[in-house]
Amino acid sequence: MDAKAPITQDVLTIPRKLPDGPQNLIGMSHEQMRHALIAAGTAEKQAKMRVGQIWQWLYHWGVRDFDAMTNLSKDYRAMLADSFVIELPEVVTRQISDDGTRKYLVRIAGGHEVEVVYIPETDRGTLCISSQVGCTLTCSFCHTGTQKLVRNLTAAEIVGQIMIARDDLGEWPVPGGPKGDARLLSNIVLMGMGEPLYNFENVRDAMKIAMDPEGISLSRRRITLSTSGVVPEIARTAQEIGCQLAVSFHATTDAVRDRLVPINKRWPIAELLDALRAYPKVSNSERITFEYVMLDGVNDSDADAHRLIKLIEGIPAKINLIPFNEWPGAPYKRSSNNRIRKFSDIVYDAGYASPVRKPRGEDIMAACGQLKSATERARKSKAQIAQEAGL
Ligand code: SAH
Ligand code: SF4
């Protein structure tokens, strides 16, 4: 591929409004819901208040039935039921790993499927959600990148993943119930399938609902968006979402990063680092997480560790080392534990936290980069994967 060739996005985005039939209230922003309610006959003066009431039912109480919205009149509820639906993706299967990790296979409109993973830890519970079916990018170590079928998830489908996990965990509050209990689902990472910054608006709208104090009410400090390095959208993420940022860094020279994360050909390391340097100030967030997959003999030398430290100098950072999760046909091997420890020590000695990510839910193929959809239609061949990896 020509080094400066544009990375095209052949992605289908489903319009929020279906041509006929009722609209889904889930995923609408405040403003969109206000317009939709007015269009359905709500008096303009009342619309803002109605949005507030419906919003609380949907996102604070987790109610799915207009009849349960008891602070609305019977007639108004009937009007809502005529004009709107409350629609979430459908859970097809749920698997629970020996270590407590839960993986949901979720079906969205059009029969596509995405995976959602819940990872319980002692002090938190993290939900790993997807932003696209498949991914247009073709990182050579990533299973999702071998899928050809791609479509952007709607805001409803993104926030819906959080809602169905809360359903499964039995975590919606009950009126009069205890307050301030530690949450089972306390953190969100956009690290499932897809490149979130290639589906910016829908990801933003869904995260706004997740962060809304009247909605799902998760702090922006507990939401981490992982990008492969879509440089022009990084500043927008700081301004319009303000969540924590993780970046799939994975290499310390452009030659190697071009092979591992091909979007590097479009926005090479120096440009990416400039965007990252500006991020914390604009978003008022803390450290940037540098994700670094450990691939045997490819990016895991002492020299790599030293180069990494030099590159990120001056950026408040944490380095998250991810032992490569192998998948059938993968052109790489996981670095040895000794190698990973050595690399981690070098980074740590330079003053950076360098945790090694413990693979979770491996027995149910729920670990990073192992997600794939069971309905995927076309898979790349081994030869194609090897060619893209420059092997
Ligand atoms: N598309 C986004 C977010 C999803 S991937 C991104 O690339 O950042 C979440 C993380 O898992 C990324 O850092 C990704 O590089 C990493 N990953 C992908 N495949 C992996 C594999 N087989 N083993 C370990 N980590 C992997
Ligand atoms: Fe897409 Fe992220 Fe996988 Fe790269 S690592 S192919 S950007 S999902």
Side-chain angles (χ1 to χ4, degrees):
M1 196 205 282
D2 162 16
K4 279 285 168 201
I7 304 231
T8 55
Q9 280 193 72
D10 189 13
V11 183
L12 184 71
T13 300
I14 299 227
R16 212 177 292 258
K17 188 175 181 334
L18 302 172
D20 338 281
Q23 278 178 276
N24 191 5
L25 285 177
I26 304 291
M28 285 182 185
S29 65
H30 277 268
E31 212 28 43
Q32 285 163 338
M33 197 183 289
R34 200 175 70 82
H35 283 301
L37 293 180
I38 292 170
T42 306
E44 274 207 56
K45 274 199 292 197
Q46 288 197 334
K48 198 163 171 230
M49 177 181 72
R50 296 283 175 246
V51 171
Q53 291 169 318
I54 296 167
W55 194 271
Q56 275 225 335
W57 285 118
L58 296 176
Y59 299 118
H60 178 75
W61 300 111
V63 157
R64 303 289 153 73
D65 181 356
F66 292 114
D67 266 340
M69 300 184 176
T70 46
N71 58 355
L72 301 174
S73 75
K74 260 198 146 141
D75 286 352
Y76 195 73
R77 283 184 257 155
M79 180 285 282
L80 289 178
D82 277 345
S83 314
F84 300 102
V85 289
I86 301 169
E87 222 164 65
L88 295 178
E90 178 198 347
V91 178
V92 183
T93 57
R94 181 190 72 169
Q95 287 170 280
I96 303 190
S97 155
D98 294 341
D99 68 12
T101 302
R102 297 175 184 216
K103 182 168 89 169
Y104 309 95
L105 183 67
V106 165
R107 185 173 297 141
I108 57 172
H112 306 301
E113 289 171 353
V114 292
E115 288 172 333
V116 184
V117 179
Y118 172 72
I119 306 151
E121 288 172 279
T122 44
D123 60 339
R124 67 175 74 183
T126 303
L127 192 71
C128 178
I129 62 177
S130 295
S131 55
Q132 300 184 308
V133 179
C135 187
T136 46
L137 302 174
T138 51
C139 302
S140 50
F141 55 88
C142 175
H143 205 192
T144 304
T146 68
Q147 255 179 262
K148 279 185 175 161
L149 186 70
V150 177
R151 108 151 153 75
N152 275 340
L153 299 194
T154 62
E157 290 160 349
I158 298 169
V159 78
Q161 296 171 55
I162 306 170
M163 297 172 80
I164 54 185
R166 294 197 86 189
D167 288 350
D168 186 48
L169 297 166
E171 203 178 28
W172 295 104
V174 280
K179 287 210 174 91
D181 275 358
R183 286 204 188 181
L184 293 173
L185 198 171
S186 62
N187 292 59
I188 292 178
V189 293
L190 279 146
M191 294 186 186
M193 292 164 64
E195 169 49 60
L197 296 191
Y198 271 167
N199 186 13
F200 186 87
E201 280 83 8
N202 288 323
V203 165
R204 176 198 58 201
D205 292 354
M207 290 308 106
K208 285 229 178 292
I209 295 171
M211 295 187 283
D212 191 308
E214 303 280 308
I216 296 172
S217 190
L218 286 168
S219 154
R220 64 191 184 83
R221 299 196 179 278
R222 291 182 172 273
I223 298 178
T224 305
L225 182 151
S226 174
T227 180
S228 57
V230 185
V231 165
E233 304 289 3
I234 288 178
R236 247 180 116 195
T237 307
Q239 285 153 8
E240 297 181 33
I241 310 179
C243 58
Q244 303 296 309
L245 188 71
V247 62
S248 291
F249 208 65
H250 304 322
T252 60
T253 64
D254 281 322
V256 176
R257 197 162 190 271
D258 281 354
R259 267 208 290 145
L260 299 181
V261 189
I263 200 178
N264 194 67
K265 293 179 193 165
R266 181 82 183 274
W267 294 293
I269 291 177
E271 286 181 36
L272 175 58
L273 288 171
D274 283 347
L276 296 176
R277 248 181 217 107
Y279 190 87
K281 224 180 335 156
V282 182
S283 64
N284 191 23
S285 68
E286 297 146 3
R287 295 174 299 182
I288 290 186
T289 301
F290 284 75
E291 296 163 286
Y292 199 97
V293 64
M294 297 299 287
L295 304 171
D296 184 33
V298 176
N299 63 353
D300 62 350
S301 68
D302 286 359
D304 278 305
H306 289 294
R307 261 196 305 269
L308 179 62
I309 296 160
K310 244 199 127 52
L311 284 171
I312 65 172
E313 206 173 348
I315 304 178
K318 166 173 124 185
I319 319 299
N320 207 334
L321 300 178
I322 318 174
F324 175 56
N325 291 310
E326 295 181 15
W327 38 271
Y332 303 107
K333 292 250 160 304
R334 179 184 291 189
S335 309
S336 71
N337 289 343
N338 275 345
R339 185 86 298 273
I340 297 176
R341 204 168 313 121
K342 186 81 197 303
F343 195 105
S344 162
D345 286 347
I346 295 172
V347 175
Y348 183 80
D349 288 345
Y352 296 97
S354 56
V356 178
R357 194 182 287 174
K358 217 169 82 203
R360 296 288 302 263
E362 274 186 307
D363 51 334
I364 55 170
M365 284 286 280
C368 291
Q370 289 184 319
L371 302 187
K372 68 168 196 86
S373 138
T375 52
E376 83 190 66
R377 309 233 156 88
R379 291 281 309 283
K380 287 183 186 163
S381 65
K382 270 191 184 183
Q384 238 176 317
I385 296 168
Q387 192 207 349
E388 278 163 13
L391 299 173

